[in-house]
Amino acid sequence: MESAALSRIGLAGLAVMGQNLALNIAEKGFPISVYNRTASKVDETAARAAEEGALPLSGHYSPREFVLSIARPRSVVILVKAGSPVDQTIAALSEHLEPGDAIVDGGNEWYENTERRAREAEARGLLYLGMGVSGGEEGARRGPSLMPGGSHQAYLNIQDILTRVAAQVDDGPCVTYVGPGGAGNFVKMVHNGIEYGDMQLISEAYDVLRTVGGLSNQELADIFAEWNSGELESFLIEITADIFRVKDDHGEGELVDKILDKTGMKGTGKWTVQQAAELSVAAPTIAASLDCRYLSGLKEERESAARILDEAGIGLESMGSSRKVDRKRLIDDVRQALYASKVCSYAQGMNLLRAKSEEKGWDLNLGELARIWKGGCIIRARFLDRIKKAYGRNRGLANLIVDPEFAAEMVQRQGAWRRVVGLAIEAGISTPGMCASLAYFDTYRRARLPANLVQAQRDLFGAHTYERVDRPGSFHTEWTKLARQSKAGALS
């Protein structure tokens, strides 16, 4: 290639996400070079670019040719599977990169891997950015939410590209410099954990409406479409309405009823729950959604358990699900329960981000993160604007639940929320996400918990000591001896 025609940026890894992001960049007018180890993917991308008018894009077949086709300081985005494929790609490209060039990993990577790679890159004079990309293949092509973290200079080198390529919302592009180190990857991981919670809560709303309310898929489609025009407006509610309308090609009825009830996962939800435990942050809604994915995998065991417990006489009729329900009220109650449960899930995710930010000194701006999630990403939702404003009112907000606006909403919805959870429990339908959210809310709002008894137990069997509410210091009591003396005194 002639030096006059050097590309502004490069992208290596041309699976669906990589292809779509490359076409998005080219379509915005930024000359881009693309590379993939499998040459056919390069040809396929170039053909798509020509067909979709996403030019200027040039395909390359060797790491050297690819790197040399990019103008300095080079920025190379890699979109390959997390783990060792990333290290292999970096190794292949690094041979030809020069000091001042930047590597941008757009995969779902564990944040500590990003921090290790950043140190290794720095030793060679290279800059490193770990960038969360959310929105799936459609988002990558039309405008994703981007969460870059790491070298600030690497971000500045491509800021103009990222701000054009990202989804655009009323208050700007859905991209911001998140913070140093692995901050971008960590934020994307928590985003995915919140997504797990959201999807679980929606599936529970569906289960209650279908099983207790007896609603058809067509009615469910209409209800979710209606919800999507109100406070629950979001990408996940919108696509759920669409799912209920799709007919089965291979038989009667709708396709959703024919799908095997086993959920897959890629690991980011598990990482989120592990990190919450490491940081002593309660994230019960996200943890419940992860547990449900594990239980969904036990399809054969569940079928066997259903049969055994049915034979033992558990039948749903014996649990009160056969009683008449006011469908109109049930639908409105479920809407309110879903909203209140969702607020708790986001509160848990935000608190996890803040705890990690404090531990690592990342100085994450939670309001700005809520803003960049308003478009492009899987958890995009109308109420993220309210979350942004809550942190705008009080950057040190302890919990979304105690923001005055959200507090009022939770209180208004708690009656409906309790009715739905109570009805589900009575009918023998598991709503672990809604139950976890409600328990989180009820625990967090209690000025005094029964933890005093737990501390007493710990002190009795392990001499772990306890504090008192009425005087300072640590105390230990010979509980068993005193209890025996008290008992003996009572008997004498």
Side-chain angles (χ1 to χ4, degrees), residues 267-287:
T268 43
K270 182 172 82 172
W271 291 346
T272 305
V273 174
Q274 286 172 332
Q275 278 295 297
E278 291 276 337
L279 291 158
S280 307
V281 172
T285 312
I286 299 171

Side-chain angles (χ1 to χ4, degrees), residues 139-155:
R141 182 67 184 87
R142 305 287 163 212
S145 173
L146 300 171
M147 297 155 247
S151 160
H152 192 242
Q153 186 56 53
Y155 172 71

Side-chain angles (χ1 to χ4, degrees), residues 363-385:
D363 193 28
L364 296 181
N365 181 336
L366 301 182
E368 180 67 353
L369 295 180
R371 187 194 69 76
I372 68 166
W373 289 344
K374 280 168 58 180
C377 71
I378 304 301
I379 63 170
R380 61 183 182 265
R382 178 192 284 196
F383 95 138
L384 279 159
D385 196 52

Side-chain angles (χ1 to χ4, degrees), residues 146 231 299 317 438:
L146 300 171
E231 65 187 9
K299 176 66 172 171
E317 286 70 31
L438 183 55

Side-chain angles (χ1 to χ4, degrees), residues 216-231:
S216 69
N217 289 328
Q218 188 53 55
E219 288 170 318
L220 288 164
D222 293 342
I223 287 160
F224 274 82
E226 189 184 320
W227 285 356
N228 196 48
S229 63
E231 65 187 9

Side-chain angles (χ1 to χ4, degrees), residues 208 211-215 316-317 319-330 333 419 423 426-427:
V208 171
T211 313
V212 179
L215 275 73
L316 282 178
E317 286 70 31
M319 291 191 283
S321 69
S322 55
R323 78 175 190 196
K324 290 289 288 173
V325 291
D326 177 341
R327 289 176 69 176
K328 194 163 185 236
R329 182 176 178 184
L330 177 68
D333 279 356
R419 281 194 295 274
L423 200 58
E426 199 181 338

Side-chain angles (χ1 to χ4, degrees), residues 386-435:
R386 314 268 308 290
I387 294 178
K388 183 194 94 166
K389 285 173 178 157
Y391 286 110
R393 284 190 287 274
N394 177 6
R395 187 159 176 177
L397 184 66
N399 194 303
L400 278 178
I401 292 167
V402 295
D403 169 74
E405 276 197 24
F406 280 116
E409 290 186 338
M410 302 296 272
V411 172
Q412 285 160 10
R413 286 160 182 72
Q414 66 160 344
W417 197 5
R418 294 181 198 286
R419 281 194 295 274
V420 170
V421 167
L423 200 58
I425 289 169
E426 199 181 338
I429 298 166
S430 64
T431 49
M434 287 186 183
C435 286

